[in-house]
Amino acid sequence: MQEGILLEYMTDPKTSAYVLVNRYETNILPTAEQVRYALDVLAAKHEVFRTSIIYRGVDTPCQAIIDRKLGLRYVDISHESDIYAASERIHKEELAATFDLQSSPLYRVVVLKTSETTSHILLVTHHIIIDGWCQPIYFQDFLAALQGAMAGNTEPIMPGVAGRYEEAVRDILSFDKKTAFAYWRQLLSDYTDKAIIPYSYKPVPESSRKARTIGLSIEPAVMKQLQELCSK
């Protein structure tokens, strides 16, 4: 799947088709230093966030783990007459900004200050490194580190176990594709019904794609319980 995503990106580097943006309205206002600490914790624990897709100047594209900081942007929108409109505008800006898969960090956080005690937090990443199933896991780790930093718990960051991501990738690459193909060909040999999934479609023009925004209000008591659960 990564090869397919990379092919589409190389065809149109400005496409936002695989940019994932999640925006959260929070009752906290972390400092840039606290968010940076949480990002450093996340990068140390999960190697995938420090990867770069090397495709320029090489015969075969590859994914490399490198030592670089994850992206961070801090914006004060508390002076805006409509903070929700401002938040939506920046959400769209982040979606349109896309990524340079080789040169830029593939995970970034945008903190929008909405008041002296509240903020909107945007988590922006590219589908080539993670998918929606992984998001809750990474968000929990990020939130736990951020809460710790805001409570003054900024212990030295210990590096995670190196090589786990590479080991998983190499394990997948070692699969015998010919054997797998033969297995599925035999398994589906007597399949006669038509597939339910449409086999053709008309691509949606990039200009007509719109980001969807889903709002969710969480009561303070429930938020406190969620924070306690994430810190365990």
Side-chain angles (χ1 to χ4, degrees):
M1 186 174 72
Q2 284 181 309
E3 293 175 343
I5 293 176
L6 177 58
L7 178 60
E8 180 166 346
Y9 171 83
M10 293 173 66
T11 303
D12 180 13
K14 295 187 180 299
T15 180
S16 60
Y18 292 102
V19 178
L20 309 177
V21 183
N22 290 300
R23 180 172 38 149
Y24 302 91
E25 181 178 3
T26 78
N27 57 359
I28 60 174
L29 179 62
T31 65
E33 292 73 19
Q34 291 165 344
V35 179
R36 170 54 62 196
Y37 175 82
L39 283 173
D40 289 347
V41 170
L42 194 68
K45 182 175 182 179
H46 301 289
E47 293 176 311
V48 66
F49 288 121
R50 293 184 280 112
T51 61
S52 171
I53 309 300
I54 310 298
Y55 67 93
R56 290 192 288 262
V58 296
D59 294 331
T60 303
C62 63
Q63 187 171 357
I65 298 171
I66 62 177
D67 185 16
R68 67 178 173 193
K69 294 287 187 181
L70 303 185
L72 172 59
R73 182 184 176 196
Y74 205 98
V75 184
D76 184 354
I77 62 171
S78 60
H79 60 281
E80 298 274 357
S81 58
D82 187 339
I83 61 173
Y84 291 99
S87 180
E88 177 68 15
R89 183 185 71 246
I90 294 174
H91 184 130
K92 292 179 178 179
E93 289 175 1
E94 288 297 319
L95 186 64
T98 66
F99 291 89
D100 182 320
L101 297 186
Q102 182 163 319
S103 302
S104 67
L106 301 183
Y107 191 90
R108 61 179 179 260
V109 169
V110 182
V111 179
L112 307 179
K113 176 183 176 181
T114 53
S115 76
E116 293 303 317
T117 57
T118 60
S119 65
H120 290 183
I121 297 178
L122 282 67
L123 307 182
V124 190
T125 188
H126 200 282
H127 190 33
I128 201 167
I129 61 169
I130 66 174
D131 57 26
W133 295 100
C134 305
Q135 291 274 35
I137 298 174
Y138 298 136
F139 179 63
Q140 179 175 326
D141 288 342
F142 171 76
L143 186 60
L146 181 59
Q147 290 175 327
M150 295 183 69
N153 301 323
T154 53
E155 300 178 355
I157 300 174
M158 302 301 294
V161 179
R164 290 191 303 175
Y165 183 74
E166 179 182 356
E167 181 180 349
V169 171
R170 291 190 180 280
D171 187 46
I172 293 173
L173 292 175
S174 68
F175 292 165
D176 188 335
K177 294 181 180 179
K178 290 183 178 180
T179 300
F181 179 76
Y183 168 81
W184 286 108
R185 182 172 55 186
Q186 164 127 20
L187 185 66
L188 301 174
S189 60
D190 59 349
Y191 186 78
T192 57
D193 294 338
K194 292 183 178 180
I196 298 176
I197 300 175
Y199 59 88
S200 65
Y201 70 100
K202 294 182 179 180
V204 178
E206 187 73 26
S207 59
S208 68
R209 294 178 183 173
K210 296 182 179 179
R212 292 186 303 151
T213 300
I214 300 175
L216 176 65
S217 297
I218 301 177
E219 296 294 328
V222 177
M223 176 61 74
K224 183 177 180 181
Q225 292 177 333
L226 289 172
Q227 291 173 341
E228 291 175 351
L229 178 62
C230 291
S231 64
K232 292 181 181 180

